[in-house]
Amino acid sequence: MKDEFGGFLIEREHISCLQIRVLFFWVDGSVWKMQLRQDAAGASTSTKLLSPSEGFGLLLFSGLDLTVSLLIISYLLPPQSLPLNPISRRKVSPPIYFSGVPPELILVIQLKLEVNIPLAMLSTLQPPRSLTLLPFRRFHGSKTIASLASSSPTLDASSVSPPQSQILTTRRSLLSGETTASEIAKSYLSRIRLTEPQLKCFLHVSENVLKEAQEIDQRISRGEEVGPLAGVVIGVKDNICTEGMPSTAASRILEHYRPPFDATAVKKIKEMGGIVVGKTNMDEFGMGSTTEASAFQVTANPWDLTRVPGGSSGGSAAAVAARQCMVSLGSDTGGSVRQPASFCGVVGLKPTYGRVSRFGLMAYASSLDVIGCFGSTVADAGMLLHAVSGYDRFDSTSSKQDVPEFDTQFLSMDSFESKPLKGVRVGLIRETLEEGVDSGVRSATQEAASHLEALGCVVTEVSLPSFSLGLPAYYVIASSESSSNLSRYDGVRYGNQVMADELNKLYECSRGQGFGGEVKMRILMGTYALSAGYYDAYYKRAQQVRTLIRKDFKAALDHNDILISPAAPSAAYKIGEKKDDPLAMYAGDIMTVNVNLAGLPAIEKLLKVGHIFEQTLKGSDFVPPTLPNVA
C-alpha cells in the first residue's frame, strides 16, 4: 500500500534484518559514524563506532534487495512502516531510536532492509530511482549550522519546489475555467471547519463567502472583467472594521459591535474581487505578543499546537500557515506582523508608515500603527500590499506618493542569474545577535546571511548604537498613546455599557468589565507617563530617543541597501510560558520595535530580495505537519 506522500510502505512483518548507520555531522566539520544491526525480532546483533570520515555515499536500491536512504532531522520514522520515498517527511513523537538530539549536529540515517515481499505485492513496487547526494558544507569561525528546530536539510532544487503564489494560481485557474470561485470558497470553508477546533484562528466566519464567490463566477461566465484578487480568500484581523461583520479587537468592551462601514483597506480588497472569509483572533487591542491576551480564545501555532503563534496578529498568521485563507491582513505597532509571521513560518510584510490608510483600523498607538499583510509567499504578500496601498482622504497621515508596481519585482526562477542579487549591500545588525538571543536564532540568521552572500550580496556587520534604547522608548510612547486612544471606550461614546446610578460608576464598571488585564496595565502606564511632573522625564525623553533611532537607521542605510535581523530573539514559546511574566514578553519585541519608531518598512523595498531568497531556499517545509489533511 502507499502512504499519503506517494511512497511505498513495507510492513515490519516482511523485514528480516535491519541495519542502521548514523552519521553525526558536527559544526567543526568532523563526521562520526555509528552502525547498528538488528534481526527481525529487534535484538541487537552488532554495534560499532567507526572513526571520523571525510564523507559518505548514498546507496541506491534496485530489484528486491532494497536499500533505503532517509534524511532525518530531529525526528525518526516509526518502526511499523518505512517509506521508500526519499523526500517524505513525517513528524513522529516520541523518536523511536534516539532522543534529545543536540542542535549542534545533523543526523543522516541510512537503513538497509533485507525484505521478503509476497509475489502479490510485486506489481505495486515503484521502479528504481536515483537519489541526490546531500551537500556537505564545512563551517568555520562564527558560522554554525542552524538549529534543527528552525531549519531543514538542503536538498537539490529538483526535489523540493519553491512556494507558488496562491493569488496568481487562483486567477489562472478561474480565467482558464479549471475551477470556480465557489469551489475554491467551499474548499477553504471546509479547511476552516476541519482545523478550527484545534487552532482557533477565527473569531467570526462570514456567512456571505459562498454568495460572493457565486457572484464572481457569474461575472466570469458573462465574460466580464474581474479584479486581480477575484476569488482570493482573505482573513482580516479583528481590529480592522468590516461592514456588517463583528469587529471587536478581541475585547469584551466591543463584543457584538458591527461597524456600518469598511476600513479603507477592506474596501479596496472587496473592490478588487477579494472574499473576506472572516475575522481573525488577536491580542486585545493589539496589546500582546502571543494572542493569549484575547478576551475570547487562545490561538495555537499550526506547527506545534502547544506553542503560541505570536502576536498580536497571531490569528492572521496562523490562518495563512494552516491554509485557512490564502492571505490575510494584520496590524503592526511594534512587530505584530513580523513576529507572528516568524513564529508561524509565513511571510509578514510591514509597510512604511502612511503607505496604507489607517481609516477603519482601531487605534492603539497612532504614530506607530500600520496595516500589514500576511502571505504564504513574498509575491502574495506584495500583491496584497499593492491592493491596499495608496492615499486616502479619510486618513491625513496616508502618503500621497504613487504606489510602485510591486509585481515587477517577482521574477521567475527561469530568469535568475547565477548571482541574481549581485552588488546588493546588506547590513547585518550586530546588536541583534548579541547576548539574549537564542543560539538557534543566531545560527539561522547567520545562515540566511550566508545564503544572501551566495546570491551575490555583500554582507557586512553594522552597529546601531541606540538599538537597546528602542524597547523602553517604544513602551512609553505606545502606552501613552493607547491611554489617550482608548479613553473613548467609556460605555457612553463607544463600548458596551454597564448600568450604574452615577456617571463615574458607569465609566468605572464599563471599562473595568470591558477591558482585560493587559489593556488596563498599559493604560495605567501611559496615564502615568503623561501625568504632570512625569511628562518630561518619560514621554518627552522617549520621543528624543526616537529621533536618535531614526538617525542611526539613516546612517546605516547610507552605506547599505537593506538591513537584516531576526524577527524575535527566540522561537515560538509554549502557551502560558510568558503569560505571568510581562517583562519577559515585552523583551521579545526588542528586534522589531525600532523599525516602527523609525517609520521604516520591514520588507516593502526588499520585495525582490525577499522573493529571490525565498525561491532559492531548498528543503524547506511550507505546510505545518501537524495538519496533514491541509494541502
Side-chain angles (χ1 to χ4, degrees), residues 34-155:
M34 185 180 73
Q35 189 163 298
L36 172 68
R37 182 178 177 85
Q38 291 184 340
D39 59 22
S44 177
T45 58
S46 65
T47 303
K48 58 182 177 179
L49 182 65
L50 305 180
S51 60
S53 170
E54 285 298 323
F56 68 98
L58 289 177
L59 300 175
L60 307 181
F61 62 84
S62 60
L64 296 181
D65 182 15
L66 302 179
T67 298
V68 182
S69 298
L70 299 174
L71 307 181
I72 301 179
I73 286 196
S74 77
Y75 59 86
L76 299 174
L77 296 172
Q80 289 80 9
S81 58
L82 299 166
L84 298 186
N85 189 340
I87 64 171
S88 294
R89 293 191 179 94
R90 177 176 302 174
K91 184 173 182 179
V92 176
S93 180
I96 301 303
Y97 300 105
F98 300 96
S99 63
V101 179
E104 294 84 7
L105 60 85
I106 289 181
L107 295 118
V108 175
I109 314 297
Q110 293 185 334
L111 300 95
K112 184 175 181 180
L113 310 180
E114 296 175 11
V115 299
N116 299 310
I117 302 179
L119 291 177
M121 297 175 61
L122 293 181
S123 62
T124 64
L125 282 176
Q126 299 182 13
R129 69 196 75 179
S130 62
L131 300 179
T132 304
L133 186 67
L134 176 71
F136 175 56
R137 289 185 59 190
R138 294 181 180 274
F139 295 87
H140 303 282
S142 63
K143 295 181 179 180
T144 59
I145 297 177
S147 167
L148 298 180
S150 60
S151 66
S152 298
T154 302
L155 299 177

Side-chain angles (χ1 to χ4, degrees), residues 57 64 131 195 203-204 219 228 255 271 289 295 317-318 341 354 396 409 530 578 583 587 599 629:
L64 296 181
L131 300 179
T195 58
L203 294 176
H204 174 77
R219 293 189 61 184
E255 191 173 8
E271 290 174 347
S289 303
S396 60
Q409 304 186 48
L530 293 175
K578 306 282 187 181
L583 292 181
N629 293 321

Side-chain angles (χ1 to χ4, degrees), residues 485-500:
N485 281 325
L486 270 63
S487 64
R488 71 193 68 177
Y489 302 108
D490 55 13
V492 177
R493 292 170 293 177
Y494 293 95
N496 294 325
Q497 186 179 97
V498 176
M499 298 304 297

Side-chain angles (χ1 to χ4, degrees), residues 390-448:
Y391 173 71
D392 178 23
R393 65 186 181 89
F394 294 112
D395 178 9
S396 60
T397 64
S398 63
S399 174
K400 293 184 178 181
Q401 293 186 13
D402 293 336
V403 180
E405 294 293 334
F406 297 146
D407 55 0
T408 59
Q409 304 186 48
F410 306 136
L411 307 176
S412 66
M413 288 281 287
D414 298 335
S415 63
F416 286 0
E417 303 173 355
S418 59
K419 300 285 186 179
L421 298 177
K422 184 177 181 180
V424 176
R425 300 169 301 170
V426 177
L428 178 57
I429 302 175
R430 181 182 305 146
E431 288 78 6
T432 63
L433 300 178
E434 294 179 346
E435 185 178 355
V437 180
D438 287 1
S439 60
V441 173
R442 189 183 299 113
S443 298
T445 304
Q446 291 169 339
E447 280 293 285

